[in-house]
Amino acid sequence: MIVRKNMGRLSPLLLLTLVLGFCFATYNLVTMVMHNRSISNWIVNDSNGGIFFDPVIEMPENVKKPNNAKLPFHVALTATDAPYSKWQCRIMYYWYKKQKDLPGSEMGGFTRVLHSGSPDNLMDEIPTVIVDPLPAGLDRGYIVLNRPWAFVQWLEKATIEEEYILMAEPDHIFIRPLPNLGHGGYPAAFPFFYIKPALNEKLLRKFYPEEMGPVTNIDPIGNSPVIIKKDLLEKIAPTWMNVSLKMKNDPETDKAFGWVLEMYAYAVASALHGVQHILRKDFMLQPPWDLETGKKFIIHYTYGCDYNMKGELTYGKIGEWRFDKRSYLRGPPPQNLSLPPPGVPESVVTLVKMVNEATANIANWDAE
């Protein structure tokens, strides 16, 4: 009986020891959790100054931009002198001018980097810097290989006042004022679902050796849209050009990557320089797959939009109603395009309305 009573009681000293030990362990656990949150919680400011979480977005808290700070960026797109490229550039520049000075915008200057080597008829309409194309035959029919070479030349010869650069494309339309989504050494980029470094490790190891780290260091991005500090791009651009050419000259890689080869090259070049990007899903939308514009900033109209008159998507088959930029390879689309039938997603309707507004207000629209 006595033994059982003693075993059922805790002495005051033992009880005090257990309490202190529990408090110490709890303190350590809380401290550890708070510390881990401070260094590995990745957050991002939205356009309204708020904060939201997304497993794809990566931005350390210690590089958040103060809400009252303005960090203007220079808008740069590469282009050719082909009619197909020119009409897209004109629409893109129209919407840049409309959004540039609105609240929330951090857009700075604008440059069309024309890699035809000679002036065209848009020199007085759009700020343009002329650079040389790659030597004849080097792109092997893949015109996009001129993009990294164009940026290398532009960065060497141009005076760029802004500290940041947005690399954009002719088929981009600004649907909202665009703030600077990049932060210091962390550029901002759009994650493309079809850029999959982990699934292409064997190929990518030809250009990103194992000693550089895991292939997951390569972001699932292309070079556009990307907002990046000028000094970072000056380091990455020559590597991007060289990797692009090496990939194109490797038959296995060329066949596997096809038209997205130059996108993979930019992602690899960035990783080789230890640069990782904040991945912003709200940077851009791509009709017809993205159904609503929502709070996104750029429409990328790279895909054809084909629908029947019931408003049903007929992708892969020419629709009764369609908008596809490739329908206008030899000249600009006509003004006042017909709007989509009822039931077509809002993103497609918005795209056509914005194209129509631009073509109605750009002087001499029919000029090639």
Side-chain angles (χ1 to χ4, degrees):
M1 295 289 292
I2 295 173
V3 173
R4 288 180 180 175
K5 284 183 180 179
N6 288 341
M7 288 179 66
R9 293 177 181 175
L10 293 175
S11 69
L13 180 59
L14 179 59
L15 184 61
L16 179 61
T17 301
L18 288 173
V19 169
L20 289 174
F22 177 76
C23 291
F24 180 73
T26 302
Y27 172 79
N28 282 342
L29 177 62
V30 171
T31 301
M32 181 177 67
V33 170
M34 292 178 67
H35 175 69
N36 285 341
R37 282 182 177 174
S38 69
I39 63 173
S40 62
N41 221 15
W42 306 92
I43 63 176
V44 66
N45 286 333
D46 67 16
S47 60
N48 298 317
I51 294 174
F52 63 89
F53 294 81
D54 190 315
V56 164
I57 294 170
E58 299 183 350
M59 183 180 71
E61 188 172 5
N62 63 356
V63 296
K64 281 194 301 179
K65 180 177 63 177
N67 286 336
N68 60 350
K70 290 205 74 172
L71 296 173
F73 55 86
H74 195 95
V75 180
L77 73 157
T78 57
T80 73
D81 58 1
Y84 177 66
S85 177
K86 289 195 287 188
W87 70 256
Q88 293 176 54
C89 289
R90 299 180 80 190
I91 292 175
M92 197 269 199
Y93 186 58
Y94 172 86
W95 283 105
Y96 156 81
K97 290 189 294 182
K98 286 210 68 171
Q99 305 289 2
K100 177 181 182 293
D101 296 322
L102 294 180
S105 168
E106 291 181 89
M107 297 175 176
F110 186 102
T111 299
R112 180 180 63 134
V113 185
L114 182 62
H115 54 77
S116 62
S118 58
D120 64 8
N121 61 340
L122 296 183
M123 303 296 293
D124 294 332
E125 180 178 332
I126 304 174
T128 300
V129 170
I130 300 169
V131 297
D132 293 325
L134 288 168
L138 197 58
D139 64 11
R140 296 169 55 193
Y142 181 52
I143 192 68
V144 185
L145 278 186
N146 284 278
R147 183 176 293 155
W149 174 224
F151 271 109
V152 168
Q153 295 175 83
W154 176 62
L155 290 165
E156 287 179 349
K157 69 191 299 185
T159 300
I160 306 162
E161 295 181 0
E162 296 84 356
E163 188 179 1
Y164 289 81
I165 292 169
L166 164 65
M167 291 188 285
E169 296 182 11
D171 60 353
H172 287 176
I173 291 178
F174 296 108
I175 51 178
R176 297 171 60 209
L178 180 60
N180 188 338
L181 305 178
H183 298 268
Y186 294 87
F190 176 79
F192 289 91
F193 70 89
Y194 48 78
I195 302 296
K196 299 178 179 180
L199 296 182
N200 292 283
E201 180 168 4
K202 181 182 176 182
L203 288 176
L204 292 173
R205 284 303 184 193
K206 296 180 180 182
F207 315 97
Y208 189 76
E210 290 189 10
E211 56 265 28
M212 295 300 299
V215 75
T216 51
N217 286 347
I218 302 172
D219 291 326
I221 61 172
N223 83 289
S224 178
V226 166
I227 298 178
I228 185 171
K229 286 192 77 173
K230 181 171 56 180
D231 59 351
L232 278 182
L233 184 56
E234 288 171 341
K235 295 175 183 177
I236 292 172
T239 308
W240 171 28
M241 180 186 69
N242 290 331
V243 173
S244 296
L245 293 172
K246 288 180 181 178
M247 285 184 171
K248 188 64 181 174
N249 288 325
D250 182 79
E252 185 183 17
T253 305
D254 185 25
K255 181 179 179 180
F257 290 165
W259 65 274
V260 299
L261 180 148
E262 168 268 340
M263 298 173 69
Y264 271 105
Y266 174 80
V268 168
S270 298
L272 288 170
H273 286 274
V275 175
Q276 292 189 299
H277 297 69
I278 304 164
L279 303 182
R280 295 284 303 234
K281 290 180 178 180
D282 62 340
F283 210 152
M284 188 170 76
L285 70 144
Q286 302 184 99
W289 310 118
D290 295 305
L291 305 182
E292 298 180 352
T293 55
K295 292 186 176 181
K296 297 184 178 181
F297 297 102
I298 293 171
I299 291 180
H300 182 210
Y301 55 99
T302 190
Y303 296 106
C305 300
D306 289 275
Y307 293 87
N308 61 29
M309 298 314 290
K310 297 178 182 179
E312 299 168 334
L313 182 66
T314 63
Y315 194 77
K317 177 183 177 182
I318 294 177
E320 297 174 85
W321 180 94
R322 76 180 326 223
F323 175 77
D324 187 339
K325 66 178 185 176
R326 295 164 191 83
S327 300
Y328 310 104
L329 294 174
R330 298 183 179 181
Q335 294 175 314
N336 197 27
L337 293 168
S338 64
L339 293 179
V344 170
E346 175 266 338
S347 62
V348 178
V349 176
T350 298
L351 167 60
V352 177
K353 286 182 175 179
M354 296 186 82
V355 168
N356 280 345
E357 178 180 331
T359 61
N361 288 282
I362 295 173
N364 301 313
W365 172 248
D366 293 332
E368 295 184 6

